[in-house]
């Protein structure tokens, strides 16, 4: 009987852990805002990401949208895919 109760607790904990991941915020839209000229005539594009939890975040596209980075004008956390960067800012 004790073993059954322990199994139920373990299963309930596992179910809660899995469902918490399902409720993580996800990007719902990505909107172009503007092109920005920085030093040495480099240009990046500024986009705003809306997330399923109601928040908004900025991402930047560099090198003719070949490199997508977190933040407006940032180049620290980047990826080759727009959606991957958008998911990162919504977490």
């Amino acid at each position: 009987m004790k073993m059954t109760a322990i199994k139920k607790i373990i299963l309930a904990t596992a179910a809660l852990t899995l469902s918490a991941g399902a409720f993580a915020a996800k990007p719902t839209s990505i909107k172009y805002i503007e092109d920005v000229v920085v030093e040495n005539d480099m240009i990046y594009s500024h986009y705003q990401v809306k997330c399923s939890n109601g928040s908004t975040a900025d991402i930047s596209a560099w090198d003719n949208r070949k490199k997508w980075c977190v933040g407006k004008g940032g180049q620290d956390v980047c990826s080759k895919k727009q959606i991957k960067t958008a998911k990162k800012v919504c977490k």
Side-chain angles (χ1 to χ4, degrees):
M1 206 135 140
K2 286 184 181 183
M3 200 58 136
T4 305
I6 292 172
K7 285 182 184 179
K8 286 181 183 179
I9 292 171
I10 291 171
L11 288 174
T13 304
L16 286 173
T17 303
L18 290 174
S19 66
F23 291 115
K26 294 176 173 59
T28 57
S29 72
I30 302 171
K31 179 181 172 185
Y32 168 79
I33 303 297
E34 64 183 337
D35 283 333
V36 179
V37 179
V38 291
E39 60 191 44
N40 300 328
D41 293 330
M42 287 183 62
I43 299 173
Y44 72 87
S45 299
H46 172 218
Y47 291 79
Q48 193 168 58
V49 179
K50 288 188 181 181
C51 305
S52 60
N53 65 359
S55 68
T56 58
D58 296 313
I59 62 174
S60 304
W62 294 86
D63 301 330
N64 291 322
R65 294 186 309 271
K66 292 179 184 172
K67 183 167 91 170
W68 293 88
C69 303
V70 171
K72 182 177 179 182
Q75 291 193 64
D76 296 332
V77 180
C78 300
S79 137
K80 291 181 180 181
K81 303 283 184 179
Q82 179 190 51
I83 192 67
K84 186 174 181 179
T85 303
K87 285 178 181 179
K88 190 172 289 191
V89 297
C90 285
K91 284 188 177 181

